[in-house]
Amino acid sequence: MIDYDVLVVGAGSGNMLPAHLDGLRVAVIERGPFGGTCLNRGCVPSKMLVYAADVAQTVRAARRYGVDAELRAVDWPAIRDRVFGRTDESARAGFEWRKRSGVDVYTGEARFVGPKVLAVDGKELRAERMILAAGSRPSIPEVPGIDDVARHTTDTIMRVDARPASMVILGGGYIAAEMSHIFGAFGTEITIVERTAKLLSTLDDDIASRFTERCEQRFDVRVAAEVTRVEPAGRGVAVRVEDGRRSEVVQAETLLVATGRTPNSDLLDVEAGGIATHDDGRVITDDTFATNVPGVYAIGDLANETQLKHLANAQMQIAVHNVFHPDDPPRRARFPVLPAAVFADPQIATAGPSERELREQGRSFDVAIRDYADTAFGWAAEDTTGFVKLIADPETRHLISAHIIGPQAAILIQPLVQAISLGNTVEQLARDVLYIHPAPAEVVAQTLLALPAPRD
Ligand SMILES: Cc1cc2nc3c(=O)[nH]c(=O)nc-3n(C[C@H](O)[C@H](O)[C@H](O)COP(=O)(O)OP(=O)(O)OC[C@H]3O[C@@H](n4cnc5c(N)ncnc54)[C@H](O)[C@@H]3O)c2cc1C
């Protein structure tokens, strides 16, 4: 048994340890490359690929602006190697740096074998204080035949040797949205199969509807449809899709499963450590990120319902403080709103509840929608489908939420996230702030002005 003061499982967000360890004996356990999902198979490679996809789409659309350009070819190995040449090196450098940082590094898979005791690489490690940051993995739905076909998840699809000529994507969430944009822009024929009536169905209905319409123009989109069987077919797959009216087999070179992610609490056997989980396997924590076992904290995808890197990072900062300064008053999560973006085409950004959620809560609200097309930037971009939707509290005049679909949505939403978080009123934002002309932000200014005036 080797004793430590602090043990950390997972070197994704879990690797954000303090520079000064105050003489504590600390170890990090990581079974894969340093940097976790985000760096190696998530946010970073996907966004680097999205950038290249956007370039391809811009060339395709060039004629619309009077520019004579032609997309002659897409060099997939070069695109892939630009991405992973950088991220793999960053993961390697992170690992090397961590080993030299005064922290012990174990490279195996950790499992609880008792309260506060982990087994890894044939050794047992014990610590009174732990941070569990073991993340999540793609979940595979129970579809007949799914184990008999060569299938991809986001763990593998971005590193394939040859770009597939055709792909069926199972699922219509943000990963399906981004992957369809990436591979579609590079020339892959895409079919998306989604169980609910719209793509991105957890978002505001107006946003989800517009996004679904736009995708239907680019891809074969099957919504309110179910994959009922998959089988090998030649060098690819045959996917049976049923939508209540018809049953059809779609053939493709590749099947990408993008139906959600499962927390890694089972692999870590948190139960053996006495750690309580929700029914779906997420570790239960409070707002200090403490689990039910005193001294043991959990952050990131292992615990979160909404799996986002900026959330995991912010949680890790709080957990680190609480673990390394147990005698201080605990820091607590205070995130008034959780922003998120979908880096597809069109781009989407959202912060705060959807209109549907507010109705379900019985909450009163004002809403305004303005199109990019009504601004000079919208004319410049020839945008005909983007819009900003803002929702405000009629009594307090505070913004409740913002939903944007269109160019640079992730940038446009950031000041609104600040406004929601800091409690600015609509009047402050609309009248006390200048918006640069003719920047994309003008559509935000116009939407603020379109919200109903205060009632007397
Ligand atoms: C394709 C894709 C795109 C994404 N894009 C975005 C985006 O644009 N923006 C955004 O905010 N989020 C995005 N995400 C989500 C984001 O990647 C995750 O929310 C984030 O990486 C979670 O961080 P984490 O530290 O909780 O887990 P991870 O980064 O997964 O880290 C967990 C680590 O623990 C290790 N581990 C697990 N079990 C054990 C064990 N038993 N023993 C030892 N080590 C173990 C794993 O190997 C892993 O390295 C994306 C995800 C995917 C899949």
Side-chain angles (χ1 to χ4, degrees):
M1 182 79 74
I2 308 173
D3 280 301
Y4 284 94
D5 297 304
V6 178
L7 280 173
V8 178
V9 183
S13 316
N15 196 32
M16 289 170 46
L17 290 169
H20 301 290
L21 301 173
D22 299 331
L24 296 176
R25 248 195 118 199
V26 179
V28 172
I29 311 165
E30 170 56 63
R31 64 174 180 174
F34 267 53
T37 302
C38 179
L39 179 66
N40 296 290
R41 48 193 179 273
C43 338
V44 180
S46 61
K47 263 79 270 183
M48 289 182 76
L49 291 172
V50 163
Y51 201 94
D54 287 347
V55 171
Q57 290 295 84
T58 304
V59 175
R60 278 201 185 91
R63 205 170 286 275
R64 202 190 308 162
Y65 311 100
V67 175
D68 184 7
E70 188 191 348
L71 186 70
R72 284 199 301 274
V74 164
D75 182 349
W76 168 254
I79 289 171
R80 181 201 56 198
D81 293 349
R82 179 184 81 94
V83 173
F84 292 105
R86 178 166 286 215
T87 59
D88 288 351
E89 172 53 24
S90 179
R92 194 198 58 75
F95 172 64
E96 293 301 332
W97 182 85
R98 178 51 74 208
K99 281 197 299 186
R100 293 192 308 269
S101 70
V103 168
D104 286 352
V105 177
Y106 292 86
T107 55
E109 183 165 288
R111 277 188 92 80
F112 276 96
V113 289
K116 302 203 173 179
V117 181
L118 290 165
V120 59
D121 293 341
K123 301 183 183 77
E124 290 197 349
L125 316 182
R126 181 173 52 202
E128 274 308 307
R129 289 178 264 169
M130 292 187 177
I131 301 178
L132 308 180
S136 63
R137 61 186 186 277
S139 45
I140 307 296
E142 284 181 16
V143 173
I146 200 144
D147 292 328
D148 307 326
V149 296
R151 55 167 197 245
H152 283 279
T153 65
T154 48
D155 283 356
T156 52
I157 192 68
M158 292 183 272
R159 291 181 185 257
V160 287
D161 286 335
R163 179 184 58 76
S166 54
M167 181 189 288
V168 172
I169 304 180
L170 215 63
Y174 85 92
I175 286 179
E178 294 184 352
M179 291 298 140
S180 60
H181 171 44
I182 292 168
F183 285 95
F186 298 152
T188 300
E189 210 177 287
I190 304 281
T191 304
I192 304 174
V193 186
E194 161 59 31
R195 213 175 349 177
T196 64
K198 291 174 191 160
L199 303 180
L200 301 176
S201 61
T202 58
L203 300 188
D204 187 272
D205 285 338
D206 290 328
I207 299 278
S209 297
R210 181 61 51 88
F211 185 77
T212 307
E213 287 159 23
R214 287 288 309 272
C215 279
E216 282 168 346
Q217 290 161 4
R218 253 177 106 188
F219 311 126
D220 179 3
V221 177
R222 314 287 180 100
V223 287
E226 195 106 23
V227 169
T228 53
R229 164 160 284 285
V230 291
E231 284 169 5
R235 286 178 47 242
V237 284
V239 180
R240 178 161 292 282
V241 181
E242 300 191 15
D243 67 2
R245 285 170 295 127
R246 58 187 176 150
S247 170
E248 201 186 334
V249 174
V250 180
Q251 304 252 5
E253 195 177 314
T254 298
L255 175 68
L256 173 63
V257 179
T259 49
R261 296 178 65 85
T262 306
N264 286 328
S265 51
D266 51 348
L267 305 180
L268 189 56
D269 200 358
V270 295
E271 210 180 310
I275 294 158
T277 59
H278 297 278
D279 288 345
D280 61 7
R282 285 177 300 118
V283 170
I284 297 172
T285 62
D286 64 14
D287 61 355
T288 67
F289 304 108
T291 68
N292 62 311
V293 177
V296 179
Y297 290 70
I299 62 110
D301 285 9
L302 185 68
N304 292 340
E305 201 170 353
T306 307
Q307 299 173 334
L308 290 166
K309 178 63 173 165
H310 41 278
L311 181 61
N313 284 349
Q315 293 173 333
M316 185 63 187
Q317 285 176 3
I318 293 171
V320 159
H321 175 87
N322 293 339
V323 163
F324 282 82
H325 304 94
D327 298 329
D328 287 1
R331 284 196 187 154
R332 295 176 188 281
R334 274 192 331 108
F335 312 128
V337 69
L338 176 57
V342 182
F343 297 88
D345 181 16
Q347 200 175 93
I348 291 171
T350 172
S354 66
E355 189 173 335
R356 182 176 7 103
E357 284 168 327
L358 291 169
R359 284 190 201 293
E360 283 164 8
Q361 291 165 15
R363 203 167 156 187
S364 57
F365 57 87
D366 287 332
V367 60
I369 296 181
R370 277 291 173 274
D371 293 335
Y372 281 61
D374 294 335
T375 63
F377 174 78
W379 302 352
E382 290 294 334
D383 189 277
T384 54
T385 56
F387 64 84
V388 172
K389 175 173 182 175
L390 298 181
I391 302 182
D393 187 312
E395 301 302 324
T396 65
R397 306 295 297 157
H398 290 149
L399 266 191
I400 299 173
S401 59
H403 310 277
I404 305 180
I405 180 166
Q408 303 185 23
I411 295 175
L412 287 187
I413 207 159
Q414 196 63 52
L416 297 170
V417 173
Q418 244 157 288
I420 298 171
S421 303
L422 303 178
N424 297 136
T425 64
V426 171
E427 282 64 41
Q428 284 174 318
L429 294 168
R431 305 196 196 288
D432 299 351
V433 176
L434 289 180
Y435 294 82
I436 293 169
H437 175 75
E442 275 187 334
V443 65
V444 171
Q446 291 193 5
T447 320
L448 285 162
L449 288 168
L451 280 163
R455 298 159 177 77
D456 291 328

